[in-house]
Every structure is written in structure tokens, then in C-alpha cells.
Amino acid sequence: MIAFLVKRLFHALLVMFVISVIAFAIQESLGDPIQQMVGQSVPESEREELRERLGLNDPFLVQYLRFAVNAAQLDFGYSYIFNQPTTEVILRHLPATLELVAASTFLIIVLSVPIGVYSAIKPRAWLSRFFMGVSIVGISIPVFLTAIVLIQLFAIGMTWAPFPADTAWGNWLNDLITTEGGMPAYGRGNPVHVFGTWYTNFASLKGLTYLVLPAISLASIMLPLFIRLIRAEMLEVLQSEYVKFARAKGIRLRRIYFLHALKNTMLPVITVGGVQIGTLVAYTILTETVFQWPGMGLMFLNAINRSDIPLIITYLMIVGLIFVITNTLVDLIYGLVNPTVKLTGKPA
Amino acid sequence: MTFKKTLLAGMIGAVMTGTALLPAVANAENTLRMAYDADPVSLDIHEQLSGGILQLSHMTFDPLVRWTHDLDFEPRLATEWEQVDDTTMRMTLREGVKFHSGNDFTAEDVVWTVERLKRSPDFKAIFEPVASVTALDDYTVEFKTEKPYPLLLNLATYVFPMDSQYYSGTADDGDPKDEIVKNGNSFASSNLSGTGPFTVVEHQKGNRMEFQRFADYWDEESPGNVDNIVLTPISENATRVAALLSGDVDFIAPVPPNDLERVRESDDAELVTMSGTRIILLHMNQERVEAFQDERVRQAFAYAINQDAIAERLMKGFATPAAQFSPEGYAGHIESLERRHDLERAQELMEEAGYADGFQITMMAPNNRYVNDARIAQAVATMLARINVEVDLKTLPKAQYWGEYDDRAADVMMIGWHADTEDSANFHEYLTACPDPDTGAGQYNAGNYCNPELDRLVAEANLEVDLEKRAEMLQQVEQTLYDEAAFVPLHWQDLAWAAAPSVNIEPILNVMNFPYLGDLVIESE
């Protein structure tokens, strides 16, 4: 176990090293940060001075070594936009993103497991067909569009009147398809302070309303995938010999479904899920931009727009770290669910 | 028992009056929730010359003079000004003005501020003509220029006196409080004391800014009744509009062109648009393409491009088609200059110049800097195809575009320009003057157009204190640039703001796009 973790730690360091080299190599094409810092009429001589002061004129290797030496001491440089250490900036934006990811993950788990299991047990029921149909559509809609539609329907509101409004039934039908609006369209509101740089939206009902639309948008990417995955795995498990045997033995269906079958269904789901949580962090860039959610994704996009190279590099390294950590956790959980799985390094 | 009852009654009474009082207090306070596409980069108003910083300056500081609706000057901290001789201007300052820190505003603060401006990398070029500023007494300052300088009042709109006492000395980290640091922490980048209508209460960069009305604000005649302002940057166009339409914010800027109709038709919002002063144009590089050295070819390009079609169809009327640099109201503006869209004439000119079969060029434009920039470039490419010019178009995000622009990396390049001085000469100095790396003239002249005669004329105009005579000279420059087709003007980008119906934004808006929020009136329901 310890050996496994140590090995993973080296993994993490390697990943971060590779990312930093790549990010450093492409910084030229990220644009000139000076352009973002000065007004349009500032003469070239002033720009040159600033460039010199930031060390942007040094050769690549010098710049990289300076960065690497500092990074080894956990100093990742100063953000050009925020005028603060990049790690501080990211730590301040991290809670918003983690909360958003947590809320979406919660939605995904709570919805995908029952729906997936149900449509596997009753594959021919109209409700199952409905879920499958919706999930096909869901997979093909980009998160951007989902978000904008959600804002239009639930933040701004939509009045539809295709039915005659002078009749009672028409009115009733119109009301049924008309949305009220009123949900917050952007930002986190005024989250409650927990400690340090962590402000939370989970502490108040008002805070939760700010989370709803962004969390649904973010979840919409993964939810159809997970429903289909759970359904497919469950269908396969239900065909297996031991389930048939259990049925023959007369064990109650409920017990077979939820204890024996579900447990084996979840193994591949957890593997995929772990990888997907990392992907979810990446997808927050789109969701956070649409909802102006003040997390790391929005921060990263701004950093790109303004060529804030130190912040971009630190963000990429931290996301790399998050991937390594989630993968490690997945492997550990996998071991817990299925003890026959051996973690590398563990004696046989 | 009785005692307990009284106590209980008293407590209930207290709670009830408390709750009864609360709504009354809430009504008395007017809070403006606004969303811009970006927030100011710093609290130091000398750190960067940008729209965001100027907007902040007008909220938290006051200029000596400011622009009115029709580009006239309005006294603010300077109440009177007088041209003593060709190189001297004397200004009388307002008495009884307090800074946010409680310090009194005096002539010393003006002197201190102008000296700091002359040290600021972004502002020093603008303030170069000013030789010295001296305080004659507590409420009189004298500006001296080396040579006669006609634009001193234009400069005075950039002088937002800072609290010299507050910004003097050393900060906790040992650095002087008045240092100007780009990309770094300084005292001034996170602390602010001005004379303006609002004080900064909270600043979470990139996230949220909160302002409170300054209790001792000098301008008691201002009708403004906003007590608090919460500024949230929302860079995503669709989200900014949604935030207004859903009632989450009361005031947004800018309104993206694609949503103009939606906002105009909504009952929950009022739209205000204005013709702007930022010109969008194309440079034809004479050094890269020999054909561009022929005046007729440049004219052919001007004839081939249909500014009106771009403004109407592409920009949905959200742009004022242009035939020159200067928008209406600028000294150099010539009323009679017309767009010259005439395809036949364009083909004729190409034939005359010996390019009937056309040629190939490269073109670059940004895709996230100006409104519809990439689509405008595509439309231009299509229009040029009609005179047999084949365009290889590349569009880039602004972060990468400007590097290419500085390298003059394509034959035709797009740029938008707003004159910092609100003056016609500025356009020429940066965009069409003969490039000279030493003086910085023609720094953005990606066409390499060069006419020394015009440079001389502009230099003369900048020494001409007789404003009528000066306007004539600048118009002559404008006319020559037009005749020689030095560049292809496209349009002036319009401005658009929108607010909830109870927020009366129209009177406080202007073409420079710094809303005078101190004068904003919110009507109570």
C-alpha cells in the first residue's frame, strides 16, 4: 500500500514535470502578455523595459530553469492579472470549482444508478425507452447549449401561449409549459465563509439555488453516459450464471438486483467514473464561463485570454495533479469493493 | 409576573419595531447592481490606460474637467481656466473638496498627480507636452507647456487628482506608497483615496467590486441617488444579457449586437445606443505588396468595399459606416466625405493600374477584439474577390493577434482605434504617420503609408492654439488621406448599454464610454 502510494507520488511528479515543459514550450504561441498590461499608445521602449523586468527576454532554458528551481520550492510565480502568487489565486478559486463538481457528481450518482438499474431490469418498459431516448439526445447536446437553454427557461423565464388563452383548458396547458424564471443566472451569490479561502454555497438554501443550474449543466455531460453504462453492465450481469443460479435458488429478486448484481455492475462504473471526474474538472471551463461561476475554469479562460502564462502553467499542473489523485483514489476504492484486485506493489 | 409581562411586551415591541424599521431602511438605500464585461485591472488609476481604469476613475475620483454629451468641457475640480499666454494656462480649483481619507483637496494634489502621471509608463506619452505644473496658491495651478499646445483641456480630462498625503510615505512592505507597479503589488493598486462620488468597499479581483457613496462628496447639486454599487464582471455576452433580463443585475455594458433586438423588445430593460468614436479600419501594407504603392490600387480597394453593407447587415445597424478617421464632433471631421462604394469604378481603377487580373494577398484580423471582427474580415475578403483579388484570410484571438500586428505579418491587417485625446491628430500620429521607431510615430501604421507633408501639417496643427485654424489643418490632413486612400475605413463601432426601466441611465452616458455613475438616478417604485 505504502509502496503503491510512493509510486503514485512519483507519477504525479513526472506528470507535472511533463506538463510544465509542454506549457513552457507553447507559451510563445499563447500571445504577448505585455500587450494585455499596457494601453495601446504605450511606446515600444516602455514595453521592452517591462519585458526585460519580467524576464521574458531570456532564452527558453534560462526561463525554464528559473521556473523549475522556484517550483521545487513550491513557488510557481506571480499571476500577471492578479498580482498575486499563482498558487494563492488558484486556491482561492478552487473551492468554487470543487463544490460545483461535487454537486454535479451528486446529481449524477443519485440519478444514474436508479435509472440505469431500472432500465436494465425492465428494458421494455416505456419509461426505460424514454430514458434511453433522452440520454441519446443528452449525449449529443453541447454543455454550452444546455446551459443557455436552462438560463432562458429558469432564470429569465419563458411565456408560451400556443393554446387558446380564453379557455380554461387552454390556460391550464399554457401555464403548464410556461416557465417562471427567477433562478439566479450567474455567479455564486454571497457564499458563506467556512475557513481560509473557502466560501461555501452548501450552507444556505439561497446558496444552493445558485448551484442548481450550473450543476445540472455540468452533470448533463456525464449523466447520459453513466445511465447507459450502468444499464449495459447491469444487463450483462443479469445474464450471468450466478444470477441465474441465485434466482433458481429462490433468493428474493430485490436482494439479487441490489446486492449481488449491482455490486458487480459498479466495478467498471467506478473505474470509468474516476477518470470522468477528472474530465468533469476540465468541463467546468465551459460551464463556469456561461454561468460566470467564479471557479478555476473561468479563471483559466481569463488567463488564456490575457496571456497570463504563470497562471496558465500552474493551472495545468494542478489539474494534472487532480487527475493523478482521482486515479489513485479510484484504484484504492476499487480494491475496497473488490478485494481480489491487487494494487501494484502489494505482495501477492 | 407583571414585570415579566412588561419585559415580554417590551421585547416583542422591540422586535416588531425592528422589523418594521428594516424595510424602511432598505427602501432608503439605492443599490445598483451592474455587470461589465471586465473589471478594472487595478485600483491604481495610473497603472494602465484603458477603458476599465477610466470608468473606475470617474466613479472614485473626479477629473479637473470632464466631457459633456456634445464633447464640450464641463468644470469639475477646476472651476475656471484661463489661457494666460500661448504656453501657460491657469486653473482655479474648487474649494471645500474632501478626499475619501478626510484630507482636504488643494493645488498641491494636482501638482503631485500630474508629476506622477508623467512617471506612469502608460500616461507619460500623453503628458509629454506639459513642461511643468506649479501651485500658485492653495486653489490655483498653472500649467506650462514647452510649446503652444492646443489640447491642454483634453489632457485635463485625464487629471484625476489623487490624495497626495494619503499616497505619500512608505507602505507596510517598505516600498513607497506612490510607486507605479505593473504586474505586482503596490500600495496604490489595492488602496484608494479620491474625491469621487464612490469609495471602494471591497475588491475581489475578477469577481466582485463593491462601492459606497462617499458621504462628504462635494457635488451636492448632482441628482445622483445611488448609495451602493456592486460591480460583477461577466465576460460572457449571453450571460450578461440573461443576468439583466432575469433581474439579477440592473445595468449592463456592453450589450452584444446579437442581443440588441431581444433587449429592445423586453419590458424588463431599456436599451441606449450611441454612435461611438472607435474607428475600425484596414491597413494595406505597401512594403509587402508592390501594388499597394499605386494609389489607384488602394483607391480600388476603397471602392470595392461596401461599408454600408457591413454596417447594416453584419453589424445589424450597430455601427456608423465611415469614410474617414474622425467621427462627428472631432476637429478633423469633414461632413462631405462620402463612402465610395462603386464596384465598376473599382474594376476600372484596377485595370488602369495594370492589375485587371488581380493578385493574391494575405490578410489578418482578430476574432475576439472588436464586434464581429472575424466576420467583417470575411465579408471584406468576399468583396475583394469581385476585383479579382484573392485573399488568404487568417483570424486570431487578440492575445496572439497583436504580436503578429507588430510584426506586420500580413498584407492587409485590421485595427480599431480610439483617440485617447478625443482629437483627430491622434489618429494620424499612430496610424498613418511615417513610421519612426525613435519617436514612436506611426507605431501602428501597418500600411507603411508615408507622407512627410502631412506629418509636418499635423505637427503644426499641434502648436496651433487657434482652434478654428487648427481644425482646418486637420481637415486638410483628413482630405489628403482620403484622396490617397491611405487606408480603408470601415465604421465607427457603436456603443450600447442597457438597464432596468427604473434606472435612468441615458443622461449619464457618453461616447467615451465612461458613465458618470455619480449622477445616476434610480427611480423608486
Side-chain angles (χ1 to χ4, degrees), chain A residues 113-124:
Chain A
V113 174
I115 294 178
V117 170
Y118 174 80
S119 46
I121 297 173
K122 295 229 156 71
R124 288 196 174 74

Side-chain angles (χ1 to χ4, degrees), chain A residues 29-32 35-44 46-47 50 53-54 78-84 92 144 148 151-152 155-156 183-186 190 289-292 294 298 302 304-307, chain B residues 41 47-49 121-122 124-126 181-185 189 205-208 232-236 238-239 242-243 245-246 248-249 262 278 368 398-400 402-403 406 416-420 430 443-444:
Chain A
S29 49
L30 288 175
D32 182 9
Q35 194 70 48
Q36 305 294 318
M37 289 182 213
V38 298
Q40 58 181 10
S41 52
V42 170
E44 189 51 44
E46 291 290 341
R47 292 164 196 254
L50 194 57
R53 191 165 70 74
L54 294 178
Y78 258 64
S79 153
Y80 295 155
I81 320 177
F82 290 94
N83 299 338
Q84 275 172 339
R92 204 172 56 236
F144 220 74
I148 285 178
I151 290 179
Q152 178 65 50
I156 302 176
M183 292 293 282
Y186 79 97
N190 264 327
T289 310
V290 182
F291 288 99
Q292 213 64 29
L298 183 63
N302 283 335
I304 289 193
N305 275 334
R306 298 171 64 173
S307 318
Chain B
V41 293
E47 192 176 315
Q48 189 181 87
L49 175 50
D122 274 40
K124 72 160 84 150
I126 298 186
V181 181
K182 263 188 198 294
N183 164 48
N185 267 323
S189 72
K205 214 170 198 178
N207 195 353
R208 180 187 166 89
T232 324
I234 302 184
S235 50
E236 191 58 38
T239 313
L245 296 183
S246 66
D248 278 358
V249 296
R262 199 163 146 224
R278 183 189 294 283
N368 61 353
K398 62 183 171 193
Q400 280 122 62
W402 294 116
D406 288 338
W417 195 265
H418 165 250
D420 287 333
Y430 282 100
Q443 194 178 343
Y444 292 88

Side-chain angles (χ1 to χ4, degrees), chain B residues 231-443:
Chain B
L231 165 67
T232 324
I234 302 184
S235 50
E236 191 58 38
N237 283 334
T239 313
R240 195 162 60 247
V241 173
L244 176 72
L245 296 183
S246 66
D248 278 358
V249 296
D250 314 308
F251 176 34
I252 61 166
V255 182
N258 290 338
D259 285 316
L260 286 172
E261 275 318 301
R262 199 163 146 224
V263 175
R264 197 174 281 140
E265 277 163 19
S266 165
D267 298 330
D268 304 323
E270 298 285 337
L271 178 76
V272 180
T273 59
M274 225 178 257
S275 178
T277 55
R278 183 189 294 283
I279 179 87
I280 308 291
L281 59 95
L282 299 172
H283 273 310
M284 299 163 281
N285 196 325
Q286 303 182 20
E287 224 161 71
R288 292 175 57 105
V289 181
E290 210 191 311
F292 286 149
Q293 287 167 14
D294 192 325
E295 196 176 300
R296 289 167 299 184
V297 173
R298 302 200 302 264
Q299 281 166 353
F301 271 53
Y303 277 109
I305 291 166
N306 186 349
Q307 285 97 336
D308 294 77
I310 292 174
E312 268 162 46
R313 273 173 243 153
L314 239 169
M315 303 289 287
K316 307 213 167 89
F318 190 60
T320 311
Q324 57 188 318
F325 278 139
S326 310
E328 233 181 291
Y330 274 34
H333 182 77
I334 306 177
E335 194 68 56
S336 59
L337 285 190
E338 299 225 346
R339 273 94 60 197
R340 36 188 166 183
H341 175 56
D342 184 342
L343 196 57
E344 262 169 50
R345 182 86 191 100
Q347 280 157 345
E348 268 172 39
L349 282 163
M350 286 292 274
E351 217 164 296
E352 275 174 39
Y355 292 102
D357 297 335
F359 48 85
Q360 280 192 338
I361 54 165
T362 57
M363 178 170 170
M364 275 191 197
N367 57 26
N368 61 353
R369 176 62 187 92
Y370 311 113
V371 179
N372 285 335
D373 39 17
R375 291 179 59 207
I376 294 169
Q378 276 153 14
V380 166
T382 320
M383 288 168 184
L384 290 177
R386 296 201 192 119
I387 53 168
N388 297 324
V389 173
E390 204 182 302
V391 179
D392 174 13
L393 173 67
K394 192 173 171 191
T395 63
L396 299 159
K398 62 183 171 193
Q400 280 122 62
Y401 181 70
W402 294 116
E404 301 287 334
Y405 192 92
D406 288 338
D407 294 343
R408 312 277 184 261
D411 305 333
V412 171
M413 298 199 107
M414 181 191 281
I415 189 172
W417 195 265
H418 165 250
D420 287 333
T421 43
E422 304 296 337
D423 177 69
S424 300
N426 178 279
F427 287 121
H428 175 75
E429 286 159 11
Y430 282 100
L431 298 172
T432 51
C434 303
D436 182 344
D438 293 332
T439 61
Q443 194 178 343

